[in-house]
Structure formats: structure tokens, C-alpha cells
């Protein structure tokens, strides 16, 4: 039925026009007030006396703040004008006699009588749109649980201020708006999904703030988008106590950060800090630009392309484990023991601080501080005590010498007395001078080394590695780690796994110059982190408010870290974290997802965490097997042109490794095809060639997987890499493989 024939069409058209008219009036009224503010400021400047803190200063300050705030409001409302809302619910609160219609958008807008024209998608009552079924419902609000009846859920398609379509729904899982969104082509950036958030996603967005949250999300389940919407929701809900600056988003790489860069501003969040774990650590370690870090994908490439990598895998895993943390803790015990003086601290022969008091101050009184800062506090204490006791000591010296001098004058004559007086004066001068230098002398005896030097000392010495390890390390393993470290440090290189231990050492030894404020941390692709990294973030940031999002099935870096979330919850959060699962995959078609799941079952086993696709059908994935490389490249060129003609905005050619991708890029020799390594700072869309591991977290309208010289074998790692590659596709998936690279994944 045409929407023009719908009985509510005229009413809906009138409401939309009225909303847009009100927005225009609202913007114009703010602009008028802005002009008045500018005139007030101009008048205030004309009478301003720079030597007097007069009323003019206050006028200028107040109006300047209003202009800034009102300009932000105009920008937000202007953005919303062409698509002011996307849904409506009719809800009758049990306390009311009549139902109320709520139109839901990205912001709240109230009429002059304070009646809501649009309500924000993050408001409590809006949760009924995402969670509620027609009939009796309830939602949680500040005043408690609100019950009532939901009689209508309506979704709108509005473009450029024009009502294109609307339809009524009950649940939102398979509704037309979601299907239309899934059919859209993608460009180079992630988009917000406020109009199509599903019930299981909404549960995560609105999850309890006071507990850590671990989300296992299947490929295409919207993990990343949901994480960003959760930030927007929390800032809206707790705006009085939350500062957006205190949010930190930790992404796998800068390419990924560029990919998500548009979402937060679209949701009205401008100031959340976005970084990678590498950059976060290098900034705190003051090593940015001074060392090169071997990123995870570089090491994975080595593991995939070289044969003898057993010790490399062991070393990577060991450095990320709590066993390595224990090794560092054991080393630090000796550092503390060796740094702490073993005698009383004296001013001449007078005790300023006994060894017992010194030990107590270091291990108990200042235990909350990093090691170096404990000595700084003891130094201050010594300096203060020297000032306090100096005069008492001098008086004591004078009294002592007065008796000696008096006795000498009687028994040995004046010459001896004068000698003793000189001796007394010299001692008093030494006491005065010593009192000034006692803290300085104390510091000289404390041999401080920075965290980086300590780390190099541990890692380069196989005997130290064996000595401080909680469990016995085989000689060949300790030697491999030590020799690798020597080579790396000589070239000013670090492995990714070195960052957490280094940051931990710095926190324990030196601390940080500035307070690090990030009370809420969201980590995407968290399955690629190790336990030590999680621990260090929690330790350094001093917060439990973590949201971890990841997919164990995409854990291509599992050789270095975690294999399940239970281990993370137990070890890092003492089983206090809320664990939620996103099984539904909204990215790709049923046909692509079924084939992807089969890859996991073949390569990983039945314990794999499989995605459940939304019922959206598409073309069956095509497997092209050829015997000649020339034929493969010719076929690939034709496929790219075919996909472009079909209107796909983002197309990915995915090879197993970067080496493979470079060969494909060279052989294709086509214009406007970009080779991505994963190190890029931005993603421009179009046609790209990308390694399987660097594609993780991204999505493309069409994906073609190429096995030129490198096959995907039936191992857990290869299965996960192939699964990642396949699940990047939104609409179209194909493969090109040489006959001699064909594996059972593609031979059906």
C-alpha cells in the first residue's frame, strides 16, 4: 500500500512539517539571541576599564560562553533538521489515562510548553522502541520501574526533510528498516545505527555502568558500533558526573581509528580520547619517536611465512603472561632491597633516622608510592627532621663541650680549653653544613635507574631471566629471549609484548608525572590482548570500568594471549564482570555466513563460537579455481570491473599475508587500487588489497579472497584468518585460487 493511502499519512506529514518548522524557528531564535549577545559584548568592550574588574568583564564572559554553547546547539539541531526522527512509540503509562506519542531521534527537542517534540534515543522511555513488544511493557527510569502499555512502534524513512515511507512493527529483528540498512552499500567510514539497534545490542549499550563488561560478539554483530553508542548513552545518562575526556577508546590500529572517526561526532560525542595500546604506552613511557615497535601483524606475518617459529611464539606468550609479571615482581624485590640503605642515617654521630624507621617508611608508610617516589618522600622527611633537630643537636654539643672545656681549663690549662672550643665550633659548623646536605647525601647513595634500563638489564641476561622466573625456564628459551632482546635494543626496537612489562616497571619504579584520568575504558578487538596488557591498563588507569569487546573466533593473535573470556574475567576482574554475547550477525548474507561458519568448524572444531546471520539472502559465494597465474589475474581484473559496474563502493581483495598482497598488487597493475598494510592512518574506500589479518574490524561491500602462492591450511590460525577475510563481505564474496593452493575449505 502506498503511504499516501495510509490513514495516518496526513497526520504524520503534518507532524514532520511542524517539527521542521519548529526547528527552523528554534534556530532563528537562537541566532537572534546571539546577535543581541554580540551587541552586548560590543557595548561592554566600549566601556571596559582594563584596570578594573567591572561588570563589563562579567558581561563579556557570560555572553562569550553563551555564544559558544549556542553555536554547538545550532550545529546539532541543524544536523538533525533533514532527518529529525526515525521512529515513534505510543505508550500509555499506567498512571495516565491516555497514551503519549514519542518521536525518537538523535537529540531531544521540547516545545515552549515543555512537551517533547522529539526525545533522545538514549532516554529511558526510548528503550521501549528497542526492547518492547506490543502490549504490557516496563522500563527503568530515575524514579524506578515504569509500567504501561505499548500500542504502537512505527519506523520512518525521512530524507532531506521529506517523508519517504513509514511502517509499523512489533520487534525490530527482521523489520524493513533494518533490512534496508543492511542492503545499503558502504563507503570508507563506519556509520551510527541508532535507528536499527537490536534488542541484544541495546542490552549492551545500557548495561550496568558500575561493573566491568565483557562482550563476545560474532563477526558482523556490531561490536564496534555498539561500543561507540554505549559511550554516547553513558555521557547522556550520567552527564552531571561524566566528562567525555575521561573516556578512552583503545583500538587495534590507526587505520581502525580513522574508520570509526565519524560515529562519535554523529552521536554528539566530541571529546572521548581515542588511541591504540602502542601509542598509549609509548606516550606514558616517553618513548614516542625514540623506538620502533614491531606491531602484532608484523609478527603474525613472520609466524605465517617462516617455519621455525616455536621459540618466537613461546616468547610472545611468556611476556604477556602473569608468569612474566611474577618474574618482574621478583626482580623488583631485589631492586628494593639493594637500593635501601642498611645503616642508620646520621648527622655527625647523631641518629636522624634509624635503619628500622627507614625500612618502615619505605615498606609501610610510603608503600602506596612507586619506589623512586618513596625515596623522595623519605628525603623530604630527612630534610625536615634535620632542620628540626639541628638546633637541639647543636645545644647538646654545646652542653657536652661546656663540661669538657670547664674540666680541661681546671686540669690542663687555658691552652687546652681554647683547643676544645675550636673543636666545638668546627663540629657545630659541620653539623650546620651537614644538616643542609643530609637529604642530598641520602639521594646520592640511592642509585636510581629508569624503567627502560632495568628492563634491558633483565631481558638481555639469560641468567637473570632464569633466576627471577617463578618456574624453571629451559636454557634454550632463556638464551633465545636474551639474544633477541640484545638485537632489538641495539636497533632501538621493541616487540608489542614489551610494552606492558615496561609500563608496569615504570609504574612500580617511577610513576608518572601527570595523573592519568580515564575512568572508563573501551577496548575493541580485545581478543588480541594478553592478560598482562589488561592488568597494566587496570593498574595504571586505576579503574575497573572496562568494556571489552571481541570475538574469540577471530583471535588470530591467540598465540600471544587469551583463548577464552572466562580467564580474563577470573584473572583481571575477579569474576565481577558482566559477560554478554552477541550471536546475531548483521553484516553479511546467510550464504556467506554459512560458508564462513563451515570454515571455523573444519579448522577450529565444534567448540567454535559461530555467528547466526540475520535472514538476508544474497548470491552464493563463488570459488574460481585456475591452473595458470595469468588466468587468475585476468579473472580477478574482470571481477573487480564487474563489481564496480554493480555499484559497490568498497571492494577488498584479500590475500593471506602482506607478501602475497604485494604480489597480487604488482600483477594486477590497475589504477586506483590501494595496497593496505594495516599501518595506514586512514582508509579512503574504493578498491583495496589487504592482508587477511589487517582486514579485521573493517567491512566491504564485496570481498574477493585470493590464494596465489599461499593457501589457507586446516590449522586453527589459518581457519581464523580465512574466517576473518570471509566475514568482511557485506553483499558479495568470491575466491580465486590456484589449483595447487586449493584446500578443503574451497573444494566442496
Amino acid at each position: 500500500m502506498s503511504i499516501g493511502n495510509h490513514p495516518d499519512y496526513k497526520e504524520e506529514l503534518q507532524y514532520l512539517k511542524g517539527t521542521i518548522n519548529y526547528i527552523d524557528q528554534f534556530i532563528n531564535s537562537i541566532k537572534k539571541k546571539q546577535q543581541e549577545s554580540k551587541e552586548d559584548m560590543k557595548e561592554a568592550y566600549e566601556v571596559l576599564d582594563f584596570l578594573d574588574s567591572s561588570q563589563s568583564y562579567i558581561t563579556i564572559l557570560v555572553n562569550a560562553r553563551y555564544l559558544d554553547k549556542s553555536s554547538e546547539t545550532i550545529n546539532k539541531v541543524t544536523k538533525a533538521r533533514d532527518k529529525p526522527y526515525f521512529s515513534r512509540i505510543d505508550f500509555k503509562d499506567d498512571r495516565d489515562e491516555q497514551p503519549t506519542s514519542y518521536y525518537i531521534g538523535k537529540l531531544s527537542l521540547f516545545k515552549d510548553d515543555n512537551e517533547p517534540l522529539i526525545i533522545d534515543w538514549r532516554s529511558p522511555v526510548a528503550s521501549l522502541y528497542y526492547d518492547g513488544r506490543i502490549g504490557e511493557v516496563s522500563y527503568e527510569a530515575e524514579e524506578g520501574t515504569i509500567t504501561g502499555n505499548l500500542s504502537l512502534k512505527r519506523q520512518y524513512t525521512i530524507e532531506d526533510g521529506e517523508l519517504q515511507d513509514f511502517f509499523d512493527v512489533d520487534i525490530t529483528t527482521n523489520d524493513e528498516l533494518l533490512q534496508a540498512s543492511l542492503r545499503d552499500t558502504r563507503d570508507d567510514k563506519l556509520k551510527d545505527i541508532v535507528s536499527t539497534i537490536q534488542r541484544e545490542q541495546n542490552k549492551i549499550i545500557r548495561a550496568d555502568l558500575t561493573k566491568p563488561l565483557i562482550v563476545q560478539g560474532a563477526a558482523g554483530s556490531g561490536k564496534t558500533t555498539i561500543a561507540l553508542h554505549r559511550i554516547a548513552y553513558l555521557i547522556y545518562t550520567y552527564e552531571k558526573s561524566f566528562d567525555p575526556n575521561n573516556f578512552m577508546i583503545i583500538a587495534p590500529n590507526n587505520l581502525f581509528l580513522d574508520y570509526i572517526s565519524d560515529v562519535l561526532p554523529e552521536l554528539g560525542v566530541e571529546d572521548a580520547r581515542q588511541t591504540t595500546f602502542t601509542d598509549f604506552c609509548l606516550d606514558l613511557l616517553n618513548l614516542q619517536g625514540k623506538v620502533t615497535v614491531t606491531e602484532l601483524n608484523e609478527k603474525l606475518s613472520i609466524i605465517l611465512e617462516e617455519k621455525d617459529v616455536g621459540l618466537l611464539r613461546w616468547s610472545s606468550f611468556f611476556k604477556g603472561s602473569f608468569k612474566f609479571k611474577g618474574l618482574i615482581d621478583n626482580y623488583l624485590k631485589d631492586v628494593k632491597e639493594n637500593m635501601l640503605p642498611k645503616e642508620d642515617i646520621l648527622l655527625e654521630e647523631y641518629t636522624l633516622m634509624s635503619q628500622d624507621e627507614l625500612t618502615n617508611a619505605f615498606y609501610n608508610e610510603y608503600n602506596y608510592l612507586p619506589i623512586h617516589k618513596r625515596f623522595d618522600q623519605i628525603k623530604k622527611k630527612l630534610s625536615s627532621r634535620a632542620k628540626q633537630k639541628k638546633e637541639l643537636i647543636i645545644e647538646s654539643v654545646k652542653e657536652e663541650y661546656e663540661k669538657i672545656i670547664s674540666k680541661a681549663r681546671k686540669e690542663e690549662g687555658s691552652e687546652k680549653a681554647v683547643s676544645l672550643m675550636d673543636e666545638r665550633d668546627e663540629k657545630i659548623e659541620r653539623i650546620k653544613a651537614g644538616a643542609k646536605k643530609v637529604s642530598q647525601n641520602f639521594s646520592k647513595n640511592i642509585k636510581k635507574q629508569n624503567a627502560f634500563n632495568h628492563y634491558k638489564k633483565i631481558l638481555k641476561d639469560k641468567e637473570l631471566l632464569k633466576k627471577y622466573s617463578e618456574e624453571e625456564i629451559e636454557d634454550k628459551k632463556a638464551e633465545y629471549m636474551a639474544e633477541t632482546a640484545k638485537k632489538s635494543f641495539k636497533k632501538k626496537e621493541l616487540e608489542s609484548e614489551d610494552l606492558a612489562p615496561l609500563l608496569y616497571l615504570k609504574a612500580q619504579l617511577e610513576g608518572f608525572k601527570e595523573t592519568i584520568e580515564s575512568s572508563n575504558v573501551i577496548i575493541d578487538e580485545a581478543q588480541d590482548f594478553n592478560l598482562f596488557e589488561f592488568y597494566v591498563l587496570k593498574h595504571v588507569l586505576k579503574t575497573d570500568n572496562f568494556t571489552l569487546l571481541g570475538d574469540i573466533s577471530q583471535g588470530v593473535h591467540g598465540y600471544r594471549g587469551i583463548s577464552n573470556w572466562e580467564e580474563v574475567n577470573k584473572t583481571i576482574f575477579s569474576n565481577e564482570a558482566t559477560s554478554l554475547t552477541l550471536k546475531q550477525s548483521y553484516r553479511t548474507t546467510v550464504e556467506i555466513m554459512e560458508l564462513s561458519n563451515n570454515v571455523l568448524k573444519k579448522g577450529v572444531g565444534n567448540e567454535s563460537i559461530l555467528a547466526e546471520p540475520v535472514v538476508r539472502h544474497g548470491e552464493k559465494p563463488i570459488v574460481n579455481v585456475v591452473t595458470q597465474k595469468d588466468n587468475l589475474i585476468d579473472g580477478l581484473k574482470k571481477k573487480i570491473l564487474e563489481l564496480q559496474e554493480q555499484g559497490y563502493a568498497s571492494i577488498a581483495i584479500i590475500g593471506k599475508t602482506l607478501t602475497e598482497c604485494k604480489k597480487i598488487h604488482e600483477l594486477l597493475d590497475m589504477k586506483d587500487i590501494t595496497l593496505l598494510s594495516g599501518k595506514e592512518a586512514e582508509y579512503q574506500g574504493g578498491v583495496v588489497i589487504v592482508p587477511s589479518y589487517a582486514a579485521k574490524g573493517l567491512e566491504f561491500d564485496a570481498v574477493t579472497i585470493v590464494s596465489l602462492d599461499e593457501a589457507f591450511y586446516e590449522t586453527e590460525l589459518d581457519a581464523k584468518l580465512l574466517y576473518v577475510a570471509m566475514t568482511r563481505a557485506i553483499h558479495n564474496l568470491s575466491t580465486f585460487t590456484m589449483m595447487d593452493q586449493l584446500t578443503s575449505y574451497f573444494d566442496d
Side-chain angles (χ1 to χ4, degrees), residues 587-640:
R587 176 184 295 140
T588 194
T589 64
V590 171
E591 290 76 13
I592 293 172
M593 201 69 250
E594 285 180 349
L595 185 60
S596 304
N597 283 340
N598 284 336
V599 165
L600 274 187
K601 284 188 278 189
K602 278 186 177 182
V604 179
N606 292 327
E607 69 275 9
S608 305
I609 303 171
L610 303 179
E612 298 174 3
V614 169
V615 182
R616 178 172 70 90
H617 288 279
E619 298 176 28
K620 186 177 179 180
I622 299 170
V623 179
N624 301 281
V625 183
V626 298
T627 56
Q628 299 293 325
K629 287 185 180 179
D630 288 347
N631 294 340
L632 187 151
I633 295 301
D634 288 343
L636 185 55
K637 285 180 179 179
K638 289 177 184 177
K639 183 67 179 179
I640 293 169

Side-chain angles (χ1 to χ4, degrees), residues 212-334:
L213 179 63
I214 298 175
V215 180
Q216 160 58 36
S221 60
K223 297 182 294 295
T224 301
T225 314
I226 293 309
L228 304 179
H229 285 65
R230 176 165 168 78
I231 294 175
Y233 167 75
L234 293 173
I235 289 173
Y236 171 88
T237 306
Y238 303 98
E239 63 175 333
K240 292 180 180 178
S241 57
F242 263 55
D243 181 352
N245 289 297
N246 283 344
F247 273 97
M248 181 185 291
I249 302 166
I250 299 179
N253 51 52
N254 288 314
L255 180 63
F256 191 91
L257 287 174
D258 176 69
Y259 181 59
I260 68 173
S261 60
D262 285 354
V263 179
L264 286 177
E266 280 291 318
L267 295 172
V269 179
E270 304 286 349
D271 300 322
R273 182 179 177 186
Q274 301 176 50
T275 187
T276 64
F277 183 74
T278 297
D279 284 340
F280 172 75
C281 292
L282 291 179
D283 286 342
L284 286 182
L285 292 165
N286 195 30
L287 290 175
Q288 201 71 263
K290 299 175 183 177
V291 295
T292 302
V293 178
T294 303
E295 295 290 355
L296 297 185
N297 286 341
E298 294 177 66
K299 183 176 286 188
L300 182 58
S301 181
I302 294 170
I303 288 172
L304 290 169
E305 295 180 41
E306 296 184 11
K307 293 181 179 179
D308 189 15
V309 293
L311 289 173
L312 173 63
R313 294 177 72 124
W314 170 81
S315 174
S316 301
F317 182 80
F318 182 58
K319 285 183 184 177
S321 70
F322 266 41
K323 290 178 181 177
F324 195 57
K325 175 186 172 294
L327 185 153
I328 292 173
D329 286 334
N330 290 336
Y331 172 79
L332 285 172
K333 287 178 186 175
D334 274 5

Side-chain angles (χ1 to χ4, degrees), residues 82 105 119 126 207 253 336 340-341 360 441 461 562 598 629 693 697 702 742 747:
D82 289 342
I119 64 167
N253 51 52
K336 288 184 278 191
L340 194 64
N360 181 66
N441 292 335
D461 190 330
I562 62 171
N598 284 336
K629 287 185 180 179
Y693 42 77
L742 182 67
D747 64 3

Side-chain angles (χ1 to χ4, degrees), residues 343-354 382 385-386 389-398 400-401 422-439 441:
E343 64 274 329
D344 297 343
I345 299 173
L346 305 175
L347 183 55
E348 290 291 304
E349 70 269 27
Y350 302 95
T351 301
L352 279 181
M353 185 178 289
S354 69
L382 272 174
R385 186 168 295 182
K389 286 198 168 187
K390 178 182 69 176
E391 295 304 325
L392 292 174
I393 292 172
I394 289 172
E395 284 303 314
S396 175
V397 169
K398 286 178 178 178
E400 181 184 347
Y401 269 90
D422 290 340
E423 184 182 303
R424 176 199 63 193
D425 294 343
E426 288 173 5
K427 187 171 185 176
I428 289 171
E429 290 304 314
R430 287 199 306 274
I431 289 169
K432 288 178 180 179
K436 292 178 182 178
K437 294 182 178 180
V438 66
S439 60
N441 292 335

Side-chain angles (χ1 to χ4, degrees), residues 28-302:
N28 288 334
S29 69
I30 293 178
K31 288 181 176 178
K32 185 178 178 181
K33 289 179 182 177
Q34 284 185 327
Q35 188 57 43
E36 292 171 359
S37 289
K38 290 175 182 177
E39 290 171 3
D40 289 345
M41 288 177 72
K42 183 180 177 182
E43 290 177 10
Y45 272 116
E46 288 173 354
V47 298
L48 181 63
D49 181 354
F50 287 97
L51 299 176
D52 177 30
S53 57
S54 63
Q55 181 65 34
S56 299
Y57 279 108
I58 299 172
T59 301
I60 293 168
L61 186 62
V62 169
N63 281 286
R65 285 179 178 170
Y66 171 74
L67 287 172
D68 285 343
K69 200 72 178 174
S70 59
S71 293
E72 288 179 18
T73 302
I74 288 175
N75 287 337
K76 288 179 181 179
V77 176
T78 301
K79 280 183 181 179
R81 183 190 180 279
D82 289 342
K83 194 183 289 187
Y85 50 83
F86 54 82
S87 68
R88 163 187 163 186
I89 57 172
D90 288 358
F91 173 67
K92 189 184 87 66
D93 190 316
D94 285 340
R95 298 168 295 184
D96 299 332
E97 294 185 3
Q98 297 295 325
T100 300
S101 294
Y102 297 99
Y103 287 79
I104 304 171
K106 291 184 185 177
L107 51 72
S108 295
L109 196 61
F110 292 87
K111 302 175 188 175
D112 294 336
D113 59 3
N114 215 32
E115 282 294 308
L117 191 67
I118 308 169
I119 64 167
D120 195 293
W121 68 275
R122 297 167 289 186
S123 63
V125 69
S127 67
L128 294 175
Y129 166 67
Y130 301 112
D131 295 342
R133 299 287 300 270
I134 299 299
E136 298 301 315
V137 292
S138 65
Y139 68 92
E140 296 301 319
E142 196 172 334
E143 61 266 41
T145 303
I146 308 298
T147 58
N149 184 272
L150 183 66
S151 56
L152 179 73
K153 286 174 71 173
R154 179 167 289 171
Q155 297 174 337
Y156 302 91
T157 302
I158 300 170
E159 296 293 340
D160 299 324
E162 297 291 328
L163 182 61
Q164 305 285 328
D165 199 2
F166 65 87
F167 34 82
D168 298 342
V169 296
D170 184 359
I171 58 175
T172 54
T173 304
N174 295 310
D175 62 77
E176 294 177 46
L177 189 62
L178 174 62
Q179 291 292 338
S181 172
L182 296 176
R183 287 193 295 269
D184 280 348
T185 56
R186 299 297 198 270
D187 54 17
D188 60 334
K189 295 289 188 292
L190 196 64
K191 299 292 187 289
D192 72 74
I193 58 165
V194 292
S195 60
T196 58
I197 293 169
Q198 302 301 293
R199 185 170 186 170
E200 63 173 0
Q201 296 173 326
N202 192 47
K203 188 176 181 182
I204 290 167
I205 291 171
R206 298 173 189 254
D208 187 356
L209 171 68
T210 61
K211 295 178 69 177
L213 179 63
I214 298 175
V215 180
Q216 160 58 36
S221 60
K223 297 182 294 295
T224 301
T225 314
I226 293 309
L228 304 179
H229 285 65
R230 176 165 168 78
I231 294 175
Y233 167 75
L234 293 173
I235 289 173
Y236 171 88
T237 306
Y238 303 98
E239 63 175 333
K240 292 180 180 178
S241 57
F242 263 55
D243 181 352
N245 289 297
N246 283 344
F247 273 97
M248 181 185 291
I249 302 166
I250 299 179
N253 51 52
N254 288 314
L255 180 63
F256 191 91
L257 287 174
D258 176 69
Y259 181 59
I260 68 173
S261 60
D262 285 354
V263 179
L264 286 177
E266 280 291 318
L267 295 172
V269 179
E270 304 286 349
D271 300 322
R273 182 179 177 186
Q274 301 176 50
T275 187
T276 64
F277 183 74
T278 297
D279 284 340
F280 172 75
C281 292
L282 291 179
D283 286 342
L284 286 182
L285 292 165
N286 195 30
L287 290 175
Q288 201 71 263
K290 299 175 183 177
V291 295
T292 302
V293 178
T294 303
E295 295 290 355
L296 297 185
N297 286 341
E298 294 177 66
K299 183 176 286 188
L300 182 58
S301 181
I302 294 170

